[in-house]
Amino acid sequence: QVQLVESGGGLVQAGGSLKLSCATSGINFRLYPMAWYRQAPGQGRELVADISSGGTTKYQDSVKGRFTISRDNAMNMLFLQMNSLKPEDTAVYYCNRRQFTYPWGQGTQVIVSS
């Protein structure tokens, strides 16, 4: 079965950092482009960053220079290092495949206070 389990969220002061982790199972992780998405209160889910199977990365303009997506294919894990956090980054963060998504996990909540 497909499992996507996000962790690492929490409450942080503006300007601080968090590192999110996504443990996956039941998928051919090494073959697929993966991504981080987020959903802010009252808003739809948006793509934050993605990474190809070979490690090529892309970012939404709002997080460029602050977030870094990475993957560990040996461990079937996806990561999101978030620096210089802003209150606008407050959201529930989810991992999934870049385009053809699997059923969503529970996500991990990030709250950035001012």
Side-chain angles (χ1 to χ4, degrees):
Q1 77 284 6
V2 175
Q3 287 190 323
L4 303 171
V5 182
E6 301 91 346
S7 62
L11 191 153
V12 65
Q13 191 85 30
S17 298
L18 286 172
K19 186 173 184 178
L20 309 184
S21 298
C22 172
T24 75
S25 62
I27 66 173
N28 292 320
F29 180 84
R30 291 172 293 181
L31 301 179
Y32 299 145
M34 298 294 291
W36 284 96
Y37 303 79
R38 67 186 180 187
Q39 186 168 23
Q43 300 188 241
R45 187 148 41 211
E46 68 169 344
L47 179 68
V48 176
D50 66 279
I51 183 168
S52 74
S53 60
T56 301
T57 59
K58 295 180 180 178
Y59 301 90
Q60 291 298 313
D61 287 343
S62 62
V63 306
K64 281 183 179 177
R66 301 188 297 119
F67 290 11
T68 302
I69 187 171
S70 61
R71 64 194 297 161
D72 185 336
N73 287 340
M75 296 295 294
N76 296 330
M77 293 192 71
L78 185 71
F79 304 97
L80 185 68
Q81 177 66 51
M82 305 186 295
N83 299 325
S84 301
L85 283 162
K86 304 175 180 179
E88 308 94 273
D89 297 318
T90 295
V92 177
Y93 285 72
Y94 303 87
C95 63
N96 215 316
R97 192 173 175 180
R98 166 63 179 86
Q99 186 172 0
F100 301 100
T101 57
Y102 299 102
W104 299 93
Q106 294 300 114
T108 185
Q109 184 171 253
V110 172
I111 300 175
V112 184
S113 65
S114 59

